[in-house]
Amino acid sequence: MARAGLTAERLTRAGAELADEVGFDKVTVAALARQFGVKDASLYSHLKNSQDLRTRIALLALEEMADRVASALAGRAGKDALEAFAHAYRDYAREHPGRYAAAQLRLDPEVAAASAGVRHAQMTRAILRGYDLAEPDRTHAVRLLGSVFHGYISLESGGSFDHSSPGTQETWARVLDALDALLRNWPAP
Amino acid sequence: MARAGLTAERLTRAGAELADEVGFDKVTVAALARQFGVKDASLYSHLKNSQDLRTRIALLALEEMADRVASALAGRAGKDALEAFAHAYRDYAREHPGRYAAAQLRLDPEVAAASAGVRHAQMTRAILRGYDLAEPDRTHAVRLLGSVFHGYISLESGGSFDHSSPGTQETWARVLDALDALLRNWPAP
DNA sequence: TGCGTTTACCTAGGAGTATTAGGCAAATTA
DNA sequence: TAATTTGCCTAATACTCCTAGGTAAACGCA
């Protein structure tokens, strides 16, 4: 019988698509096998287990996000960079909700340390180059930015903003204005 | 044979405890039945299905959080209120990670509208009474606060802040300083 | 070109979870 | 005390995860 040509990469990619279509939590070994027309047991030659699959999808998502952010950030500084980062991040989450959810997966420390999440963190720091912040405020600010971006996307995609009036597009723009103002006027302790 | 005295409420409460112990995603009808020493089929007299169980835990968590925040907020204004809200929120999430995760569950619009989530949102608005913000900036600011709080807690509990140096306690305090400063100096469009 | 080795995919099966249908006995009410 | 409700049961179906062991296709080499 003909082989389907499975590899860990193809499975990861297909799993990511599936996540975007039906939700990350519904990505299952069985569902993935069905997509390739093979038995679920067959996937275990390529994947250690279902957790391994989820981890691979998470790592893929982190790579893609870091790539996007990197190219969005190239050649920009200050508020320009802040907005580019924010838009790239949010757009990715809207285009790929399943992958974005995957990227929130808690990884083993070693795996996380070797992931594109590190690059991502570095780029968040890079945004602040255009602002006059010394340590440890720089780190506090990085954490604040990460919190706002992640929190906003998470609440928005969860529908928390659906039933009050200004559109989320407008809020997003004003939030970025506010963050820019804050970074330019970071309060002394 | 003796009855276990199951009710939807007891099951919900036990499910919430279980969520805090092993994680919200591992709260299962079977696991809950085991805790009460009954067969899993027995729970279906009290719960519509496993989604119903999860929803009930989420609603419980929303109630508890709204209660905590309400009493933290009583008699406070301005930065005092901001900090009280933030601490109550974060403390709840740290004490009850499973319940906090449950509270993020996407609810049907009608269910959400009847939930304590509404009270929660109103209290976030109440914080802003101490600051001079008119609509629509008030709404933008509410969304920003929600994003920061949720995002920070989510990243912190996911371990994102574990491997960089200032402690998260210090960052949290400085983030609140920054938010207070921002709300007092909200930029014009 | 044919042979051996690797490996991709298979069947079979065990364990856990979600859910429904239908039954008996305990608790409640008349 | 009889009638009714209801709490928990057994049984059965379906789906997911995963392991063990087998077969045949593809590959590497003489």
Side-chain angles (χ1 to χ4, degrees):
Chain A
M1 41 203 65
R3 298 191 176 190
L6 304 184
T7 66
E9 279 68 31
R10 285 193 67 194
L11 289 170
T12 304
R13 220 161 286 280
E17 309 258 317
L18 191 57
D20 287 335
E21 283 161 26
V22 304
F24 184 56
D25 53 314
K26 294 200 181 55
V27 172
T28 159
V29 173
L32 202 51
R34 241 174 270 133
Q35 293 222 329
F36 283 92
V38 301
K39 300 294 169 180
D40 42 348
S42 305
L43 302 202
Y44 289 87
S45 309
H46 308 279
L47 306 170
K48 240 182 72 215
N49 51 39
S50 72
Q51 180 55 39
D52 181 37
L53 171 60
R54 281 185 281 272
T55 301
R56 285 169 186 271
I57 296 174
L59 292 175
L60 172 65
L62 288 172
E63 286 283 350
E64 290 181 350
M65 287 169 60
D67 287 349
R68 280 222 194 180
V69 167
S71 66
L73 226 49
R76 296 180 201 273
K79 191 180 183 194
D80 228 35
L82 180 69
E83 288 184 330
F85 185 109
H87 290 139
Y89 200 62
R90 178 162 173 254
D91 288 350
Y92 184 84
R94 290 156 75 94
E95 286 166 38
H96 300 294
R99 284 160 154 99
Y100 185 77
Q104 310 309 319
L105 191 66
R106 189 168 195 156
L107 300 173
D108 303 72
E110 330 127 29
V111 176
S115 77
V118 177
R119 246 165 84 213
H120 200 281
Q122 287 167 346
M123 288 187 287
T124 313
R125 293 194 91 76
I127 294 177
L128 298 182
R129 261 183 228 136
Y131 298 93
D132 184 30
L133 280 171
E135 289 299 353
D137 286 324
R138 228 178 160 83
T139 298
H140 299 321
V142 166
R143 290 173 174 178
L144 173 60
L145 288 182
S147 300
V148 175
F149 295 159
H150 171 54
Y152 193 93
I153 289 167
S154 174
L155 293 178
E156 183 183 22
S157 77
S160 297
F161 299 158
D162 287 355
H163 296 296
S164 46
S165 58
T168 67
Q169 191 58 47
E170 188 190 332
T171 295
W172 185 241
R174 299 291 289 117
V175 162
L176 294 179
D177 288 345
L179 288 176
D180 173 62
L182 177 59
L183 293 174
R184 278 186 288 101
N185 274 313
W186 191 264
Chain B
M1 41 203 66
R3 299 192 175 192
L6 305 184
T7 64
E9 278 68 30
R10 286 192 66 195
L11 289 170
T12 304
R13 220 160 286 280
E17 308 260 316
L18 191 56
D20 287 335
E21 283 161 27
V22 304
F24 183 56
D25 52 315
K26 295 201 181 53
V27 173
T28 159
V29 173
L32 202 51
R34 240 175 270 131
Q35 293 223 328
F36 283 92
V38 300
K39 299 294 168 179
D40 39 352
S42 304
L43 302 201
Y44 288 88
S45 309
H46 307 278
L47 307 169
K48 240 181 74 217
N49 49 40
S50 72
Q51 179 54 38
D52 181 37
L53 170 62
R54 280 186 283 271
T55 300
R56 284 170 186 272
I57 296 173
L59 293 175
L60 172 66
L62 288 171
E63 286 284 351
E64 289 181 352
M65 286 169 60
D67 287 349
R68 280 223 193 177
V69 168
S71 67
L73 226 48
R76 295 181 201 274
K79 190 179 182 192
D80 226 36
L82 179 70
E83 288 184 330
F85 184 109
H87 289 140
Y89 200 62
R90 177 161 174 255
D91 288 350
Y92 185 83
R94 289 156 76 93
E95 285 167 38
H96 300 294
R99 284 160 153 100
Y100 184 78
Q104 309 309 318
L105 191 67
R106 189 169 195 156
L107 301 173
D108 303 72
E110 331 125 29
V111 176
S115 77
V118 176
R119 244 166 85 216
H120 200 279
Q122 287 167 347
M123 286 186 289
T124 314
R125 295 194 88 76
I127 294 177
L128 298 182
R129 260 183 228 135
Y131 298 92
D132 184 30
L133 279 172
E135 290 297 353
D137 285 325
R138 229 180 160 81
T139 298
H140 298 320
V142 166
R143 290 173 175 179
L144 173 61
L145 289 181
S147 299
V148 175
F149 295 159
H150 171 53
Y152 193 93
I153 289 166
S154 175
L155 293 178
E156 183 183 21
S157 77
S160 299
F161 299 158
D162 286 355
H163 295 295
S164 47
S165 60
T168 68
Q169 192 58 46
E170 188 191 333
T171 295
W172 185 242
R174 299 293 287 117
V175 161
L176 294 178
D177 289 344
L179 288 176
D180 173 62
L182 176 59
L183 292 172
R184 280 187 286 100
N185 273 313
W186 191 264

